[in-house]
Amino acid sequence: MTQSVNPPIAKTVAVVGAGTMGGGIAQALVGHGYAVLLRDVSRELLDRAAERISRGLAHEVERARLSGADRKLALGRLRITIDWTELGRADFAIEAVTEKFDVKAAAFESLERQCRPEVIFASNTSSISITRLAAMTNRPKQFVGLHFFNPVAVMKLVEVISGLETSAATLQAAEALARSLGKTTVRANDFPGFVSNRVLMPMINEAIFALMEGVAEAGGIDEVMKLGMNHPMGPLELADFIGLDVCLDIMKVLYEGFRDSKYRPCPLLEKMVAAGRLGRKSGHGFYEYTAVK
């Protein structure tokens, strides 16, 4: 059964962005003894995130990984807010907004105005340069990438990415935070896509090319990779789970970062995103879903 722990480097963590990833990170933090200030642009988004976190912690109770009393304590450690000034109380800040540089940069500019100089900033980006994001702040030595994976409650890996000026102390503190949540950390240097998406996204992109060119149907492509390569999900099913818009954003980062044609986004991927077929969250991607998730 999961027990609350004494946080090693922080007591209060700001999480900016209450979407799937931000909410998942917030759930992991409150479940492991941290107070969390979860910030987003509207009460509606925050209320939905709080409900997902409540359900997620209830699931932990059902699986005997958390007691009912600990769930209640965990929910009491969560505070949702639209007010940037409240984040000034944080000892550590994690950004988990949409995978677009301008949006992330704006979030860090706002955090910079509120947080104490010694507070470490971490980005949950899955592909964008940590060095470039760090340059938007006055604390590049205290800036690091913490790339959690979806669903956060299940996935054990966290990529810890150092920018050009990230200090050794910052890396160690970020790793300590991730490990206190029961995660396994792997260090990566600041190259587009890091390790995970530099390897994964070209595979997904190539599967979309295979579909576009009529090599096989979507189900066939996924079945080959599941049965032939022992992947738990096929690449097209996984793309739907991630979100086709997110896949496209990452492919664009890879293409622009390396300027290599092998990272060119598949035209079919661009067309589907333009049509609003984003995968599970829109109810329609390479497959159809009965409910938007």
Side-chain angles (χ1 to χ4, degrees):
M1 184 176 293
T2 301
Q3 299 294 326
S4 297
V5 299
N6 294 320
I9 58 163
K11 293 181 179 179
T12 301
V13 180
V15 178
V16 180
T20 299
M21 293 306 300
I25 294 167
Q27 178 185 321
L29 287 163
V30 296
H32 286 81
Y34 294 88
V36 171
L37 302 166
L38 181 60
R39 194 269 169 192
D40 214 314
V41 296
S42 75
R43 297 295 304 188
E44 180 183 1
L45 290 171
L46 288 163
D47 288 342
R48 291 209 308 256
E51 176 59 28
R52 289 196 307 271
I53 291 167
S54 179
R55 291 199 308 267
L57 291 170
H59 184 65
E60 294 292 294
V61 173
E62 291 169 4
R63 296 184 66 112
R65 293 195 292 233
L66 196 71
S67 71
D70 282 341
R71 173 179 178 266
K72 185 176 180 179
L73 288 171
L75 288 171
R77 289 190 285 267
L78 176 68
R79 178 170 177 80
I80 58 176
T81 183
I82 61 173
D83 185 358
W84 282 107
T85 62
E86 290 202 40
L87 306 191
R89 298 190 284 113
D91 305 308
F92 195 104
I94 301 173
E95 166 274 313
V97 300
T98 189
E99 192 70 1
K100 295 185 184 297
F101 176 81
D102 290 346
V103 180
K104 291 181 181 295
F108 283 115
E109 288 172 350
S110 295
L111 279 169
E112 186 70 55
R113 290 193 290 270
Q114 305 302 330
C115 294
R116 302 186 308 278
E118 68 272 18
V119 172
I120 290 172
F121 286 178
S123 175
N124 184 57
T125 180
S126 56
S127 61
I128 296 171
S129 169
I130 296 301
T131 302
R132 188 180 174 204
L133 287 170
M136 304 305 297
T137 75
N138 295 320
R139 61 189 80 201
K141 293 184 185 300
Q142 295 150 250
F143 198 105
V144 66
L146 276 180
H147 179 205
F148 291 82
F149 290 76
N150 185 36
V152 177
V154 175
M155 302 296 280
K156 292 293 186 183
L157 177 64
V158 176
E159 278 184 304
V160 181
I161 304 100
S162 56
L164 184 63
E165 297 188 52
T166 305
S167 71
T170 295
L171 279 173
Q172 291 165 4
E175 285 178 325
L177 177 68
R179 289 171 182 168
S180 75
L181 305 181
K183 304 303 183 185
T184 298
T185 60
V186 174
R187 288 191 184 185
N189 289 318
D190 190 18
F191 287 88
F194 318 129
V195 174
S196 56
N197 282 320
R198 183 172 178 173
V199 175
L200 173 64
M201 284 300 160
M203 182 192 73
I204 288 175
N205 197 54
E206 193 62 28
I208 301 171
F209 268 113
L211 178 65
M212 183 181 76
E213 294 166 6
V215 177
E217 297 294 326
I221 292 168
D222 280 347
E223 199 75 354
V224 165
M225 297 306 292
K226 287 190 287 187
L227 298 183
M229 313 304 170
N230 205 29
H231 290 193
M233 297 175 72
L236 301 177
E237 181 185 7
L238 180 56
D240 275 356
F241 180 76
I242 294 168
L244 302 192
D245 52 339
V246 176
C247 293
L248 179 58
D249 285 341
I250 295 171
M251 286 307 303
K252 286 178 177 177
V253 168
L254 292 171
Y255 187 45
E256 292 165 5
F258 290 113
R259 302 193 183 280
D260 189 326
S261 61
K262 72 180 180 181
Y263 298 112
R264 176 175 66 95
C266 179
L268 177 58
L269 175 60
E270 295 184 301
K271 185 183 296 185
M272 291 179 70
V273 171
R277 290 176 54 172
L278 307 181
R280 284 181 176 268
K281 60 186 172 185
S282 70
H284 195 185
F286 294 108
Y287 301 94
E288 292 188 15
Y289 303 91
T290 55
V292 177
K293 297 184 179 180

